[in-house]
Amino acid sequence: MVAWVKLLRVKHWLKNLLVLFPLVFSGRAVQPEALGQGAVAFLAFCLVASAVYIVNDIRDAESDRAHPVKAARPIASGAIGPGAAVAGAVACAAGAVALCVPFAQIGWLALVLLAVYAAINAAYSFGCKDIPLLDVAMLTAGFVLRILFGGAFCGIEVSSWLFLTVLSLSVFLSLGKRRGEIARYGTDARASLKRYDRSFLDKNMYVYMGLGLVFYSLWTFQGLGGIYLGESVGQWALVAGIPVAMFACMRYSACIERDSSDGDPVGVVLSDKPLLSLMAVWAVVMVVGVYAG
């Protein structure tokens, strides 16, 4: 059972919380029916993401065996055989489709977005991850597609500012992942890493971090209609989310600049208590901001 939890990358389902952003920020998450639909959307994306992880692990089994960390993955270590892994991937993909067909508000679009996500990740696994910048673009697309899928599944329009915020911060996180890999494993760990250097990654990371925070601030103020320091607790909470987000980004940057970090967003967040605390505070103030009125 533990091997299957690792194979499905359950801890990486944390990234799939992005699927819920359109629902939460629309103010509809307090409606039982809408909340249930959001939960189904989250589960559907978790299933297709796990199917992608399994295919990637099958594809990389040989190279993973030579990796100091990835050698412990279930397929590389032999804990789960290739046949069982293929069956698990098919079951996950089928389960995601089965959830979309009856429950998604815009079913055809939700299925298209899942198919695009799967296709991008298949291309990534079968060679595109070795092409510099294209690998970062594909990692970024995975984050953005989560937001778009959540909107399509729940029938909620995604704000242009939310799209730009997620896009910019996703580039920041993706570049940070590559920086962390170079710092921890060196440029021989992945073919594309030989074409990057820390100076390039640092400069572009902080450009996109800055853009993401600007877009996030504009998104916040747009939602407030220009009145942001009135008597409403919700207004104060939304504005308070801006400095919290700023310090969370700075903390993440500090974490990936340590040689012990590989830059993986989920691993960084879960292993650093101050960053995890900042993320929790941000989540609380955003919920208060959206729902306190």
Side-chain angles (χ1 to χ4, degrees):
M1 185 62 182
V2 174
W4 278 100
V5 170
K6 290 183 178 179
L7 182 63
L8 295 175
R9 308 271 185 92
V10 172
K11 76 173 185 178
H12 285 269
W13 288 3
L14 183 66
K15 290 182 286 191
N16 299 333
L17 291 175
L18 283 169
V19 169
L20 300 176
F21 276 28
L23 174 64
V24 172
F25 296 135
S26 71
R28 291 173 47 193
V30 292
Q31 302 171 6
E33 183 178 349
L35 185 59
Q37 192 167 48
V40 175
F42 174 77
L43 178 59
F45 207 94
C46 287
L47 288 173
V48 77
S50 289
V52 165
Y53 291 139
I54 293 173
V55 171
N56 182 66
D57 283 2
I58 294 172
R59 172 73 174 80
D60 293 344
E62 287 300 322
S63 60
D64 285 350
R65 292 188 181 100
H67 193 278
V69 176
K70 296 178 182 179
R73 287 179 174 176
I75 297 175
S77 66
I80 295 176
V86 169
V90 171
C92 286
V97 172
L99 289 174
C100 283
V101 172
F103 295 111
Q105 287 288 320
I106 311 176
W108 69 269
L109 181 55
L111 288 172
V112 167
L113 292 170
L114 283 186
V116 170
Y117 176 82
I120 287 175
N121 279 276
Y124 180 86
S125 296
F126 285 87
C128 288
K129 64 184 176 182
D130 295 327
I131 302 174
L133 292 185
L134 181 59
D135 61 335
V136 170
M138 288 183 160
L139 290 173
T140 299
F143 290 106
V144 174
L145 285 169
R146 286 170 167 86
I147 290 282
L148 298 178
F149 175 79
F153 200 101
C154 297
I156 298 170
E157 293 183 356
V158 176
S159 161
S160 57
W161 290 119
L162 175 59
F163 172 81
L164 289 170
T165 300
V166 173
L167 174 62
S168 299
L169 292 179
S170 296
V171 175
F172 165 62
L173 293 173
S174 299
L175 291 169
K177 188 175 190 301
R178 288 295 179 258
R179 190 195 187 285
E181 288 173 339
I182 290 174
R184 186 170 183 180
Y185 305 121
T187 56
D188 292 331
R190 189 188 300 272
S192 66
L193 298 182
K194 297 177 181 179
R195 303 288 296 277
Y196 292 122
D197 62 62
R198 291 194 186 187
S199 176
F200 168 83
L201 293 171
D202 284 342
K203 286 184 289 189
N204 285 277
M205 274 176 59
Y206 299 125
V207 165
Y208 284 101
M209 182 179 78
L211 281 173
L213 291 171
V214 168
F215 290 143
Y216 172 69
S217 301
L218 291 171
W219 172 46
T220 299
F221 293 137
Q222 180 197 46
L224 294 174
I227 302 173
Y228 54 92
L229 292 177
E231 297 180 359
S232 169
V233 173
Q235 291 171 351
W236 282 90
L238 286 172
V239 174
I242 295 173
V244 175
M246 290 177 176
F247 281 93
C249 287
M250 283 192 284
R251 182 65 191 182
Y252 173 81
S253 298
C255 289
I256 63 172
E257 290 185 12
R258 300 171 184 163
D259 291 341
S260 60
S261 171
D262 65 358
D264 177 69
V266 172
V268 171
V269 171
L270 294 180
S271 64
D272 188 77
K273 291 182 179 179
L275 178 56
L276 189 60
S277 299
L278 283 168
M279 296 298 294
V281 170
W282 179 83
V284 170
V285 297
M286 289 305 294
V287 169
V288 171
V290 173
Y291 293 95

